[in-house]
Amino acid sequence: MQRVAVRCCVAGGGPAGVMTGLLLARAGIDVVVLEKHADFFRDFRGDTIHPSTLELMQELGSFEDLLKLPHEEAHRLAFQFGTLKGVVADFDRAKLRIPYIAFMPQWDFLDFLARRAARYPTFSFKMSAEVTGLIEERGRVAGVTATTPRGPLEVRADLVIAADGRHSLVREKSGLTVEELGAPMDVLWFGLPRRDTDPDETMGRFGPGSIFIAIDRRDYWQCGYVIAKGSFDAIQQRGLAAFQQGVAAMFPEVSDRVGQLDNWDKIKLLTVQVNRLKRWFRPGLLCIGDAAHAMSPVGGVGINLAVQDAVAAANILAGPLASGANVDPLLRKVQERRLFPTRVIQAGQKAVHNRVLTPLVLRRAVLDKVPLALRLFERFPILRRIPARLVGLGVRREHIRSPDAGLRR
Ligand SMILES: Cc1cc2nc3c(=O)[nH]c(=O)nc-3n(C[C@H](O)[C@H](O)[C@H](O)COP(=O)(O)OP(=O)(O)OC[C@H]3O[C@@H](n4cnc5c(N)ncnc54)[C@H](O)[C@@H]3O)c2cc1C
C-alpha cells in the first residue's frame, strides 16, 4: 500500500481536474491529481476551447504558447437543416476579445495544462490511478483509495475535489443526491479519413432521424452521429451496410469511404446525460465539472463550464487552503457561485433537446419546416451574435483571482 498525504486531492484529470490542479499548485498548495487512464488520449474528448477559456489562458500568460499547438479557428458555427445551409453563431459579430473557438484535440490541451502545472513543485499527477473509494472519518471525507500499476494507493487529503466526469464514482460513493434532467439522444463516435478536396470546415447537419457532426482533424474527420437514446441495439440489428448508407446520406462528401466502417468496434457509443447534484459538497469533498452537473453536447459548452468551475473553486479556496484554514464552510460558496450558470446553460440545452433534437431523432420533424430560430438567424444575421456570446463566453464568466505563489514555494 502506497500512502500519500496532501492538502488537496483531485479525482479525474479532465478539463476541470487538470485546471484545478494547475491553479492550486500555482498558489503553492500541495495537490495531487489522479487520472484513471494511462494518457490523455481516449475515445472521446470534446475539442472545443472557447473564447472565455482562451481569455483565461491569456490571464495565465500561456495563450501564445497554447496557440503554437495545431488548432483550427472557428469564427462561425455552420449548420445544414434539410437543404438550408446557414450560420447559427458568428463570433466576429459578438465583440469578443478572442473572436473564435479554437478546435484543438483535447488531449493536446490537457497535456499542455499538465505540463504548465508540472513546473510547480507542489503539483503531482498520477496517471493510471483509478479512484475506487472514499476514506471517511467522523462523517468527513478524509481522502481516497485508488488502484495503480504499482498496487493500491491511499491519499489522505484535507479536501477531495471530485472532477471525475459524468460517470463520477466519487459522487456515487459520497451519497450526494443527483437530479436527472434527461436527454433524448446518445452519440455514435467514429473517425473517417479526410482528403484535401473535402470541405475545410467543422459542421453540423440535420437529417431525417439524425444529426451529424463532422470535426475537421486535418487528416481525418471525427464524426458524431446523434441517435435516439437507447436505439443503438436496433441500429446494430439493421446491419453495418445500412449504417454506412446512413452516414453517406448525412455526409455525402465521404460516401466513397464509409466502407471503412466495417466493424462495430470502430463505432463507439457515447451516452448523453444531463443532470446535476442538489448539493455539490460534503465536509471534506467538493464536486465540480460534469461530476457536479453532467452536460449535453449541445452548444459544446461542457468543457468551458468545467474550466470555469475550476477557476471559481480556486478563487474561493486557494487562499484559505494555502494558509492552512479549514475550507469546509467555504464549499457552499463554490456551488452558490456556479449554480446559476449551470442552470441557465442546462435550461438552454433542454430547450434545444425538446424543440429541435427530440422531433428530429424521433423522426417527427419535417425537414422543410426549418425551426423559427434558424430562420431568424438567416434573416437577421445580427442575431447570430447572441448564441456566439452564450457559447463563447457562457454565463457568469470567471477570471483568475487565486494567488500566484510563483514557481518556487
Ligand atoms: C457525446 C458528447 C459530446 C460532447 N462534446 C462537447 C464539445 O464538443 N465541447 C464541450 O465543451 N463539451 C462537450 N461535451 C461535454 C463535455 O464532454 C463535458 O462537459 C466535459 O468534458 C466535462 O469536463 P470534466 O473535466 O468535468 O469531466 P471529463 O472531461 O469527463 O473528465 C473526467 C476525467 O476523470 C477521469 N476519471 C473518471 N473516473 C475516474 C476515477 N474513478 N479515477 C480517476 N479518474 C477518473 C476520466 O478518465 C476523465 O479524464 C460533450 C459531451 C458528450 C456526452
Side-chain angles (χ1 to χ4, degrees), residues 50-53 91 96 301 304-305 308 338 340-342 344-345 386-398:
H50 295 247
S52 57
T53 304
F91 298 102
L96 303 174
V301 288
N304 206 31
L305 211 62
Q308 301 274 320
R338 299 303 305 155
F340 174 69
T342 303
V344 172
I345 300 285
I386 299 169
R389 283 195 79 84
L390 259 181
V391 170
L393 299 181
V395 180
R396 188 176 279 170
R397 204 147 40 110
E398 305 292 344

Side-chain angles (χ1 to χ4, degrees), residues 3-8 30-32 142 153-158:
R3 291 198 170 86
V4 180
V6 286
R7 191 85 173 103
C8 180
D30 267 329
V31 55
V32 61
L153 169 70
E154 190 181 281
V155 181
R156 299 236 153 209
D158 299 313

Side-chain angles (χ1 to χ4, degrees), residues 12 14-16 35-37 42 44-45 48 131 163-164 289-290 297 300 302-303:
E35 166 55 47
K36 69 178 178 183
H37 287 91
R42 68 207 61 162
F44 169 70
R45 290 296 202 185
T48 47
V131 175
D164 50 345
D290 269 22
I303 297 168

